[in-house]
Amino acid sequence: MDGGAPGIGTGSGGLSRLLGGASIPASANGVLVADLAALRRNYRKLREAAAPAECAGVVKGDGYGLGAAQVARALAAEGCRTFFVATLGEAAALRPAIGDAALYVLDGLSPGSAPDFAALTTRPVMGDLGEVAEWAAFCAALGMELPSALHVDTGMNRLGLKAAERQAVLAAPARLDGAGIDLLISHLACADTPDNPKSRDQLAQFTAFAAGLPPMRRSLANSAGVLLGSGFHFDLVRPGIALYGGNPYAERANPMEPVVRLYGRILQVGEAAAGETVGYGAAHTLRRATRYATVAVGYADGYLRALGATDARPGAVGAIDGAAVPMLGRVSMDLTVFDVTDLPPETAQRGGFIELIGPQFTVDDAAALAGTIGYEILTGLGPRYTRVYLG
Ligand SMILES: *Cc1c(COP(=O)(O)O)cnc(C)c1O
């Protein structure tokens, strides 16, 4: 922070200034900043890694918590023409933002939903022959084959054609006729650990199955799969987490640029003596006279309770203008407390903000501390945040 300018701990002005003048509503208690320029750079990086394959955007889970419409518009501006969501509800919400781009629903066709897919010009990713038959019958009644995708299970044991159905299809590929299938997909179970032999095995199964079908486009790679190399790219890649700056690897450094920052509003600054405790369960005893800031973000905002501090274990770390402020006590539903003792009093005041996720404490740091993955941190960031888009 340069001389005299307000810092983020002093009011909306400091945060607004940090965000290049973005307006912060006076009512905003939690602020999620999504840097769409960084998202676009991540998309370009993945697209270049996957070329000449097409690079789709996976925007399920409301764009991994960032806002699917804003994310998809940014990707579309970068040339992205194919999107994946999980549910038909997500497809309905997204369609107006993406014009006539191709939109696939990974959950596939629930019984009776074909007319809804057609009304949204949306494509089911079908995972069993019952779905294929229903879509083909719907297309026949319409007198027009509408495009769709077929999901083959190559070892995830989740969605997709199982071994018996694969054999039935290979014995009689005409069973797929009439359903407009123009894309074959499968999903990798272990791409985040690049040395795992399971990916090679899935690749071999995928290639063998595709070879027995009429020619169609093929897609195997999620984010981590893109980074496994060109043998995994086929015609279309489907990155999600890496677009949003999450680490596609389980145990390697994150090659992507961070996209998300999170801020919580300071509601109150208080003081407590050494020996007093903070928060539920009195689980954290102060070792010194402490000045603390209580922030209006909690586990109802996806700021996980597993990030809390106790006497046995430090918790998450926040930041004000680059200075670390450790968490005190457990995360409550709507509130979290931070230790601001070491900061000059004028830098942490009611109405200011503490950075909860950012360069000091990344999405990956939060995931590691909470015993989860960045995907769960991002998709859990709930509806109470004011979402601010940069770029
Ligand atoms: C979620 C998902 C993706 C994207 O995966 P990331 O690991 O986030 O890149 C791709 N394909 C399918 C089938 C998925 O469910």
Side-chain angles (χ1 to χ4, degrees):
M1 148 186 180
D2 35 61
I8 69 165
T10 60
S12 296
L15 183 58
S16 170
R17 183 171 160 279
L18 180 77
L19 301 177
S23 91
I24 308 295
S27 60
N29 277 353
V31 176
L32 189 164
V33 179
D35 182 347
L36 297 179
L39 174 98
R40 287 171 67 158
R41 288 192 290 275
N42 284 338
Y43 176 78
R44 284 206 290 273
K45 179 171 178 159
L46 293 161
R47 185 179 60 198
E48 280 157 26
E54 181 187 346
C55 190
V58 178
V59 296
K60 62 191 181 185
D62 196 22
Y64 287 51
L66 278 63
Q70 286 82 357
V71 164
R73 271 193 224 104
L75 295 177
E78 210 48 63
C80 182
R81 295 289 302 144
T82 302
F83 296 92
F84 288 84
V85 291
T87 70
L88 199 52
E90 290 183 332
L94 185 61
R95 177 49 87 195
I98 59 168
D100 60 358
L103 178 55
Y104 290 94
V105 172
L106 290 164
D107 283 357
L109 193 67
S110 10
S113 65
D116 300 331
F117 273 88
L120 290 165
T121 328
T122 292
R123 309 171 180 202
V125 179
M126 302 180 293
D128 78 46
L129 294 178
E131 287 175 77
V132 172
E134 184 174 340
W135 189 246
F138 176 76
C139 291
L142 206 65
M144 187 172 33
E145 268 189 54
L146 301 177
S148 66
L150 183 65
H151 190 163
V152 56
D153 194 328
T154 53
M156 184 86 166
N157 277 311
R158 200 175 63 169
L159 285 178
L161 294 192
K162 310 306 171 204
E165 286 194 313
R166 282 157 57 180
Q167 272 161 18
V169 166
L170 291 177
R175 294 189 68 158
L176 302 181
D177 286 355
I181 297 169
D182 59 11
L183 177 70
L184 179 70
I185 83 156
S186 192
H187 194 48
L188 296 167
C190 302
D192 60 342
T193 51
D195 300 328
N196 196 311
K198 185 157 178 111
S199 298
R200 295 248 145 242
D201 181 59
Q202 290 193 266
L203 175 65
Q205 289 195 48
F206 184 65
T207 308
F209 182 66
L213 299 186
M216 63 177 75
R217 299 178 82 214
R218 294 169 291 170
S219 174
L220 179 60
N222 64 340
S223 298
V226 174
L227 305 172
L228 284 178
S230 59
F232 288 83
H233 295 164
F234 294 95
D235 303 296
L236 178 78
V237 296
R238 311 186 306 270
I241 191 73
L243 294 171
Y244 309 101
N247 194 352
Y249 293 126
E251 284 155 3
R252 293 190 187 177
N254 188 346
M256 309 312 296
E257 197 177 325
V259 172
V260 174
R261 280 178 284 161
L262 206 62
Y263 298 89
R265 176 90 75 177
I266 299 172
L267 300 180
Q268 201 172 78
V269 175
E271 290 181 355
E276 290 193 54
T277 64
V278 178
Y280 281 119
H284 197 180
T285 309
L286 298 175
R287 300 218 178 96
R288 61 175 180 175
T290 299
R291 195 154 39 82
Y292 61 86
T294 303
V295 157
V297 168
Y299 62 75
D301 302 292
Y303 191 66
L304 301 180
R305 193 167 175 279
L307 297 173
T310 66
D311 290 331
R313 197 193 77 148
V317 180
I320 295 181
D321 305 326
V325 292
M327 191 188 291
L328 294 172
R330 290 181 176 156
V331 177
S332 306
M333 185 185 295
D334 318 299
L335 299 168
T336 307
V337 179
F338 290 90
D339 184 347
V340 296
T341 312
D342 294 334
L343 270 54
E346 65 277 11
T347 61
Q349 294 174 11
R350 182 175 75 86
F353 286 87
I354 289 182
E355 182 184 279
L356 306 177
I357 288 179
Q360 291 270 341
F361 190 75
T362 65
V363 171
D364 299 329
D365 293 334
L369 182 63
T372 181
I373 52 177
Y375 298 73
E376 193 177 19
I377 300 289
L378 288 178
T379 57
L381 300 175
R384 292 204 297 208
Y385 294 99
T386 295
R387 282 169 168 75
V388 173
Y389 297 93
L390 306 181

